[in-house]
Amino acid sequence: MTLRAAAVSLSALCLVAACTTIDDLPEERVGAATLRTASGLPAGTAQLLRNGDTISVAIAAVGLTPGEHGFHLHTTGNCTAPDFTSAGGHLNPGNRTHGSLSPGGKHLGDLPNLVVGANRTASTQVDLTGSATDILADIFDADGTAIVIHAGPDDYASDPAGDAGARVACGVVEAA
């Protein structure tokens, strides 16, 4: 097993271990993405999980620079290297402003920063806002959705994208 594969497995195990009771375990995996860098190297995985009317994004990333990185759902399921601009802007079906600190509040594609440790790995799970039916319809629309990790942190306020810098990893969300 490669070091990267071991890190991804360990991160996924940590996500499951963080659950406090059996009731907290997701009922269903509804989607997944394999994240890759511009050079094609694996950068982690993301899972869409459903528990009742709650949809969560669970991500395990490897090989990134330590520190905070913006990560978002992007409007188009296309990850063409080297810059991943093919993924379009943030997934924003309600045409809201960007960021939890903006006066209009965040949109569907806004997620909290991913914190990468000194070992160059990160994992987190984030609940998406809205009904499961609406979220899944927006994610699995005709042109799909991508998950993008940026080079720098999201400032949670700059519209339209949080000033998070270049796109360093991308994965297309596929239905499970």
Side-chain angles (χ1 to χ4, degrees):
M1 180 181 287
T2 68
L3 179 60
R4 288 180 195 248
V8 171
S9 295
L10 178 60
S11 295
L13 180 61
C14 289
L15 283 174
V16 173
C19 296
T20 56
T21 70
I22 195 74
D23 293 332
D24 293 332
L25 293 174
E27 295 175 3
E28 178 183 14
R29 184 177 75 133
V30 293
T34 299
L35 303 167
R36 298 198 175 276
T37 65
S39 64
L41 290 174
T45 60
Q47 311 271 336
L48 283 181
L49 306 171
R50 181 178 186 154
N51 191 1
D53 201 39
T54 301
I55 301 294
S56 302
V57 175
I59 187 168
V62 298
L64 301 171
T65 57
E68 291 186 66
H69 294 264
F71 86 106
H72 309 99
L73 298 174
H74 280 249
T75 192
T76 305
N78 187 327
C79 290
T80 302
D83 60 7
F84 305 123
T85 57
S86 58
H90 292 183
L91 184 59
N92 188 1
N95 199 28
R96 301 182 71 164
T97 58
H98 172 81
S100 58
L101 299 179
S102 73
K106 65 182 188 168
H107 53 69
L108 180 58
D110 288 339
L111 302 172
N113 285 325
L114 184 64
V115 180
V116 178
N119 64 356
R120 300 176 51 140
T121 66
S123 64
T124 193
Q125 184 168 329
V126 179
D127 292 343
L128 301 178
T129 303
S131 77
T133 301
D134 292 342
I135 291 168
L136 294 175
D138 291 331
I139 290 173
F140 296 115
D141 65 357
D143 62 359
T145 297
I147 295 179
V148 174
I149 300 175
H150 294 266
D154 186 322
D155 66 11
Y156 302 128
S158 299
D159 207 22
D163 199 26
R167 300 169 185 201
V168 298
C170 186
V172 175
V173 179
E174 303 286 341

